[in-house]
Amino acid sequence: MALVPYEETTELGLQKFHKPLATFSFANHTIQIRQDWRHLGVAAVVWDAAIVLSTYLEMGAVELRGRSAVELGAGTGLVGIVAALLALKSSMKPWLVHCLLFFSGAHVTITDRKVALEFLKSNVQANLPPHIQPKTVVKELTWGQNLGSFSPGEFDLILGADIIYLEETFTDLLQTLEHLCSNHSVILLACRIRYERDNNFLAMLERQFTVRKVHYDPEKDVHIYEAQKRNQKEDL
């Protein structure tokens, strides 16, 4: 689940989490994300890393249209929703888009643990137009456990916002990334570097993937890292 350590120390900083709706504008759509701090806590609010990663996708830094994408530890689903809108958007009539999508490989899968799925699904359904929803799937994924329900190397793009903070999940997360990636897949991870363990994860990631920082938002103090599987020839 997309959890982050509780670090907001001021009452003003916490106010945004207690709002039942967080509103954003991405991909020419107004997105209203339902939040539920009282019942679901930090997994059910929009964190800065998700906003920064969504903005980065909208900048067109990676090609989304016609490609398959997955969000890990989606939480509220903001990043996956934005990815779906960008990957499947078109100026054509909805009925024609639906026909073309049926024959294309474009699809977006938005994942989290079972306990978070109903909340996640409600945000996805509320914010995606009907002609896009058939190509967007909300699916259970517990890192390192139910990987058999995903084909190896299934996705062109793997997305994660604030998912690299619990040291005990690092091995399972790496196993999951390895399974979902092909040699041509791109991973985008948005995070704050809060503790030494965050740098430790990046070091672990670099043993299996080439990693580079592609973006930094100084206002929100969020980094975006891009990773791709190492070419076996590079390691010889």
Side-chain angles (χ1 to χ4, degrees):
M1 189 181 296
L3 305 180
V4 295
Y6 180 88
E7 289 190 342
E8 296 288 345
T9 57
T10 66
E11 183 177 349
L12 182 62
L14 288 172
Q15 286 177 0
K16 61 182 180 181
F17 297 140
H18 289 279
K19 293 180 179 178
L21 287 175
T23 303
F24 306 93
S25 179
F26 288 108
N28 297 319
H29 282 73
T30 297
I31 300 172
Q32 289 194 314
I33 297 295
R34 185 167 68 90
Q35 300 190 124
D36 193 353
W37 172 276
R38 177 172 296 181
H39 295 101
L40 296 174
V42 294
V45 295
V46 178
W47 294 88
D48 286 343
I51 299 170
V52 173
L53 184 52
S54 295
T55 302
Y56 184 74
L57 294 177
E58 189 175 47
M59 289 163 53
V62 294
E63 180 57 58
L64 281 163
R65 283 178 293 183
R67 303 180 73 190
S68 59
V70 60
E71 183 186 6
L72 306 182
T76 63
L78 176 64
V79 173
I81 290 166
V82 172
L85 290 170
L86 292 170
L88 306 172
K89 76 176 181 178
S90 174
S91 58
M92 293 180 287
K93 298 293 185 182
W95 66 268
L96 183 55
V97 174
H98 180 78
C99 291
L100 292 176
L101 291 177
F102 181 81
F103 294 104
S104 78
H107 65 275
V108 175
T109 303
I110 306 174
T111 70
D112 212 322
R113 295 188 300 172
K114 186 176 181 179
V115 67
L117 287 188
E118 287 305 313
F119 174 78
L120 174 58
K121 191 177 296 183
S122 69
N123 273 327
V124 172
Q125 292 176 342
N127 286 285
L128 291 182
H131 63 280
I132 289 181
Q133 290 193 23
K135 279 288 187 174
T136 307
V137 176
V138 174
K139 191 171 180 178
E140 179 185 356
L141 175 56
T142 299
W143 302 338
Q145 293 188 23
N146 58 321
L147 297 179
S149 59
F150 296 84
S151 300
E154 180 175 346
F155 298 99
D156 300 313
L157 183 65
I158 294 89
L159 304 168
D162 254 337
I163 64 172
I164 60 168
Y165 64 94
L166 286 177
E167 204 159 11
E168 58 265 33
T169 68
F170 287 177
T171 299
D172 289 336
L173 177 54
L174 285 170
Q175 181 187 357
T176 301
L177 293 172
E178 176 73 23
H179 180 83
L180 297 177
C181 285
S182 71
N183 290 333
H184 305 290
S185 303
V186 174
I187 301 167
L188 290 177
L189 299 175
C191 62
R192 284 181 176 169
I193 302 300
R194 299 178 176 88
Y195 307 107
E196 184 59 31
R197 62 175 178 262
D198 302 330
N199 284 316
N200 292 341
F201 175 82
L202 294 174
M204 293 170 65
L205 187 66
E206 287 179 337
R207 295 173 195 154
Q208 298 173 249
F209 299 84
T210 58
V211 181
R212 65 189 183 106
K213 183 162 68 173
V214 293
H215 183 72
Y216 176 65
D217 185 315
E219 181 181 346
K220 298 185 183 300
D221 190 25
V222 170
H223 307 257
I224 297 180
Y225 295 92
E226 178 187 280
Q228 289 185 281
K229 272 189 176 180
R230 286 187 177 275
N231 189 322
Q232 290 183 349
K233 293 181 180 179
E234 294 177 358
D235 298 325
L236 294 179

